[in-house]
Amino acid sequence: MSTASKTVLTVAIATLLGYVASFFVPVPAGWNDSSFGFHWTLSSSVLYTLLHVGAAILFLSGIGAYKAALRSAYMKIAVGIVLVGGGLAQVVFLNIFGLIQTPWVQYGGVTLPFVVAGLAIYFGTRSMAAVIGVHSFLRNVGFVVPLLVVCVIVVSLLPHKSSALPELVFDISNAISAWDVVLYSVSLALVLRIRSHSGAHYANAIKWLAIGLVGSVVITLCVLVGTLLSGEAPAGYLLDSIVIIGGLLYLKAGYSFARTKEL
């Protein structure tokens, strides 16, 4: 069995054990829904967090075979993927354990993983594009930053359903979603350009990274649109399922990158 296969098997076993263990966590006294609702929510967050962490481990497992510049690109992407999973999971844990009123949430700390995740993935794909020799205006920070600012302002001005949150907090939440939609979309466009310039050796890995980024764009766009239409961040079985699928896509991408050093 190859090293990549052993790594993905270890990740799969650890993820499954974490998922099963979450069903044995006692339901908090303040939980207002059913026991099934609690354990579904908790187990889903554990599942997609471990999938994202596993994907990052796979991305990093083979970087020793690459030059320093490409290693740096992979590390940035891996950090971004971990932060995506961790950022989503923390929101769930804060809700189910009644920690929404903590300073971390009230002062905006809860949004930091999402902000940094978008930046890490963008700069990772930007570095990869530079190493491969892709010339694109999307590599130009002077273009991407104004694009981000414009999109964030436009989203903040869009009409929306009234929210229980203060208007400023609600607008910041939507701005973060818009921030990530833009950065994931730009990263996806760069990866598609990279795929057209890279050789057959990397074709499968780049393809799955692109598919993973499509998942991130779809998830963040759903969150943004759902929040504007309902006045609160969407949640439920459908969104949990989509995020789990997103984690699986990144896991497949990480496995494909880990395999490139063995092919």
Side-chain angles (χ1 to χ4, degrees):
M1 184 182 290
S2 68
T3 302
S5 296
K6 290 178 182 177
T7 304
V8 78
L9 180 61
T10 302
V11 167
I13 292 172
T15 300
L16 182 60
L17 290 175
Y19 178 73
V20 172
S22 65
F23 284 95
F24 293 92
V25 176
V27 179
W31 181 255
N32 297 319
D33 201 349
S34 66
S35 174
F36 174 79
F38 169 79
H39 285 111
W40 167 271
T41 303
L42 179 62
S43 62
S44 296
S45 66
V46 168
L47 183 57
Y48 56 65
T49 300
L50 292 177
L51 286 172
H52 282 81
V53 171
I57 291 171
L58 283 163
F59 267 102
L60 296 176
S61 66
I63 62 174
Y66 303 110
K67 295 180 180 179
L70 205 51
R71 287 203 301 271
S72 175
Y74 284 175
M75 290 178 68
K76 290 170 190 172
I77 293 172
V79 167
I81 291 172
V82 169
L83 287 171
V84 169
L88 289 167
Q90 68 156 344
V91 175
V92 176
F93 278 95
L94 290 168
N95 273 292
I96 63 179
F97 291 110
L99 300 173
I100 293 298
Q101 301 304 317
T102 58
W104 174 252
V105 177
Q106 296 299 309
Y107 292 99
V110 70
T111 66
L112 290 178
F114 300 105
V115 174
V116 180
L119 285 172
I121 290 176
Y122 167 67
F123 280 108
T125 54
R126 179 176 178 268
S127 297
M128 190 183 295
V131 171
I132 294 176
V134 173
H135 299 286
S136 170
F137 62 92
L138 297 176
R139 282 179 48 197
N140 187 349
V141 176
F143 169 81
V144 174
V145 169
L147 177 63
L148 278 169
V149 172
V150 169
C151 290
V152 164
I153 292 173
V154 169
V155 166
S156 299
L157 296 176
L158 287 175
H160 59 79
K161 193 162 185 177
S162 59
S163 172
L165 295 172
E167 184 65 24
L168 179 60
V169 175
F170 185 77
D171 287 342
I172 290 174
S173 174
N174 290 330
I176 298 303
S177 294
W179 169 280
D180 280 338
V181 169
V182 172
L183 287 177
Y184 293 149
S185 298
V186 171
S187 299
L188 172 60
L190 278 174
V191 168
L192 293 175
R193 289 293 306 278
I194 290 169
R195 188 165 187 258
S196 66
H197 285 71
S198 59
H201 184 69
Y202 294 96
N204 191 53
I206 297 296
K207 178 188 74 175
W208 280 104
L209 178 57
I211 293 172
L213 285 168
V214 169
S216 291
V217 172
V218 170
I219 291 166
T220 48
L221 193 56
C222 285
V223 170
L224 175 59
V225 173
T227 303
L228 289 171
L229 293 178
S230 67
E232 59 184 21
Y237 302 133
L238 178 60
L239 185 63
D240 286 340
S241 300
I242 293 173
V243 177
I244 289 169
I245 291 171
L248 287 169
L249 292 175
Y250 276 127
L251 189 68
K252 172 61 177 176
Y255 175 68
S256 298
F257 271 98
R259 286 278 292 137
T260 56
K261 73 169 186 175
E262 300 171 355
L263 296 176

